[in-house]
Amino acid sequence: MRIDIISIFPEFFGVLDISLLGKARERGLIDLTVHNLRDFTHDRHRTVDDTPYGGGAGMVMKPEPWGDAFDAVLAESPSPVVVFPSPAGERFTQATARELALEPHLVFGCGRYEGIDQRVIAHTASRPGVRVREVSLGDYVLNGGEVAVMAMIEAIGRLVPGMVGNPQSLTEESHEDGLLEYPSYTKPATWRDLEVPPVLLSGNHGAIASWRHEQQVERTRRVRPDLLGE
Ligand code: 6GU
């Protein structure tokens, strides 16, 4: 999978080298390039923002540097998905991560300030073969898309085929079956007077599977009833 990120804070993404993705890049599964939006400006001050038409607070990212950046990054890419992180986007879920993990080329356009001139999104979507998604992590506001994109890339990257040693560990975790994960325990069996639930020491795999499912349902009902439609 090829990943391009366009941002005015390219240094932000240095940490991707030391996470799970470092391994993916070493193994050649993910080829990630970060582009500095300011490299696509043409004025002495490398200006990327301006005041909003219609008035209002804050600054809006100018369309021209974005247009030039996408001209460069999308050249000769047959069917990229361009993701614009935005609190006004559709919700990013495990299903979104699963879909995007199957794509050969993802491009993330990180907006700052009050957003990007909306014509950039419209123009990008009008490029032949390009699919655009505006995506939000949740109902809160971050100062820019960088941290959101880091979270999305971590969620997507671990689902790229060949990334995780034991693929079963991917299907037994929170959100894969619409439920939260069951609680986990390891040795010692007693720690500071706290016991591991005895069923887990029973060796009865059927009983263990039932107990884990009950725990998933109980935990989901308690903290995320919305996931059960309740
Ligand atoms: Cl994707 N971007 C920004 N700026 N804020 C957010 C978000 C994204 N998701 C939740 N809040």
Side-chain angles (χ1 to χ4, degrees), residues 84-88 111 135-145 148-149 152:
F84 290 101
S86 162
V135 180
S136 167
L137 287 189
D139 297 338
Y140 46 84
V141 177
L142 304 170
N143 276 332
V149 164
M152 291 179 203

Side-chain angles (χ1 to χ4, degrees), residues 4-207:
D4 289 279
I5 302 170
I6 304 167
S7 164
I8 57 168
F9 296 115
E11 326 82 62
F12 242 103
F13 297 94
V15 292
L16 287 176
D17 290 329
I18 54 174
S19 66
L20 187 69
L21 275 195
K23 255 182 264 165
R25 293 174 74 183
E26 277 166 33
R27 288 191 221 154
L29 292 171
I30 294 177
D31 169 19
L32 184 138
T33 309
V34 185
H35 308 266
N36 189 344
L37 182 70
R38 290 193 200 276
D39 291 345
F40 300 93
T41 58
H42 303 287
D43 65 308
R44 201 158 53 82
H45 300 290
R46 312 230 289 166
T47 310
V48 293
D49 62 331
D50 206 336
T51 54
Y53 274 123
M59 299 289 270
V60 177
M61 294 190 102
K62 296 162 61 62
E64 302 96 321
W66 282 106
D68 290 1
F70 281 121
D71 287 346
V73 168
L74 299 178
E76 291 167 49
S77 181
S79 60
V81 173
V82 178
V83 176
F84 290 101
S86 162
E90 55 162 319
R91 184 69 165 269
F92 181 88
T93 66
Q94 190 68 14
T96 320
R98 244 183 274 121
E99 288 166 24
L100 295 178
L102 301 175
E103 293 291 338
H105 186 196
L106 302 179
V107 182
F108 293 91
C110 296
R112 278 260 145 187
Y113 313 111
E114 308 306 310
I116 304 173
D117 186 306
Q118 193 67 32
R119 290 170 295 179
V120 172
I121 288 88
H123 182 266
T124 306
S126 77
R127 293 173 187 258
V130 175
R131 287 158 292 156
V132 164
R133 296 178 74 161
E134 291 180 83
V135 180
S136 167
L137 287 189
D139 297 338
Y140 46 84
V141 177
L142 304 170
N143 276 332
E146 282 78 7
V147 167
V149 164
M150 215 107 66
M152 291 179 203
I153 289 178
E154 185 144 322
I156 295 163
R158 55 198 295 284
L159 299 176
V160 168
M163 261 309 294
V164 169
N166 175 8
Q168 203 184 357
S169 68
L170 292 178
T171 61
E172 288 183 2
E173 61 193 11
S174 291
H175 300 297
E176 277 298 337
D177 55 4
L179 295 172
L180 302 183
E181 196 171 17
Y182 52 78
S184 299
Y185 301 86
T186 186
K187 293 175 275 302
T190 304
W191 174 73
R192 300 197 180 194
D193 292 331
L194 296 169
E195 311 281 348
V196 169
V199 64
L200 298 177
L201 310 178
S202 69
N204 181 337
H205 297 296

Side-chain angles (χ1 to χ4, degrees), residues 201-218:
L201 310 178
S202 69
N204 181 337
H205 297 296
I208 291 169
S210 310
W211 181 85
R212 284 179 168 166
H213 185 73
E214 285 160 25
Q215 292 291 310
Q216 286 191 278
V217 173
E218 187 281 321

